[in-house]
């Protein structure tokens, strides 16, 4: 998910209205400066079932990524014959540790997405959902609080998961009665 820091994250703010006569004022948020810890979130996602796995690390390194892939391998069903991991072009995704992981786990195949094509990776829209569940409108004093919020949001998502559909959600269109045509209105 990229670097996340223990800080305030803006959310939907309440609009204050002093009285019924004047228009409402815009909501404000104070600037939040401070170094209370930061780190990185690695995630795995199964679009067919909607199940997700996240893990937080203090650094984004090849060793941490290989450790995360070991957790993902244990998380996936053993009956899965082929695992396709879609990766971006981060240097940790092309390190020696990843090559050693690929040799040790033959069912894994790594697919690198083209540069500047994040929309091809199905986990990117899910990161947006995770940010809204875990971070939006909250203030974190420590890195541990932020890690707990991400774990809680992932558990909530997995409890309410559904197959993830790629693309925009289609709006419900009411069905017309079949065989009945509408006459144009004449003014």
């Amino acid at each position: 998910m990229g670097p996340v820091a223990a800080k305030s994250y803006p959310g939907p703010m309440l609009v204050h209205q002093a009285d019924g006569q004047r228009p409402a004022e815009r909501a404000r948020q104070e600037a939040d400066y401070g170094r209370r810890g930061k780190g990185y979130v690695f995630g795995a996602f199964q679009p067919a079932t909607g199940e997700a796995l996240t893990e937080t690390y203090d650094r984004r390194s090849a060793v941490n990524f290989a450790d995360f892939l070991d957790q993902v391998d244990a998380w996936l069903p053993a009956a899965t014959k082929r695992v396709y991991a879609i990766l971006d072009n981060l240097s940790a995704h092309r390190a020696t540790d990843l090559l050693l992981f690929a040799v040790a786990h033959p069912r894994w195949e790594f697919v690198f997405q083209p540069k500047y094509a994040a929309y091809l990776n199905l986990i990117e829209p899910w990161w947006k959902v995770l940010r809204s569940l875990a971070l939006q409108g909250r203030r974190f004093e420590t890195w541990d609080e932020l890690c707990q919020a991400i774990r809680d949001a992932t558990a909530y998502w997995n409890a309410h998961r559904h197959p993830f559909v790629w693309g925009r959600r289609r709006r419900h269109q009411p069905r017309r009665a079949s065989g009945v045509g509408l006459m144009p209105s004449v003014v």
Side-chain angles (χ1 to χ4, degrees), residues 103-116:
V103 169
H105 299 85
R107 72 177 182 158
W108 283 74
E109 184 172 334
F110 297 102
V111 180
F112 290 91
Q113 68 188 28
K115 290 184 180 182
Y116 307 108

Side-chain angles (χ1 to χ4, degrees), residues 121-141:
N121 196 344
L122 280 179
I123 200 168
E124 295 298 336
W126 187 80
W127 285 128
K128 183 177 178 182
V129 172
L130 182 68
R131 279 188 194 100
S132 68
L133 288 173
L135 307 178
Q136 188 173 14
R138 301 194 51 196
R139 177 181 169 85
F140 301 101
E141 291 295 329

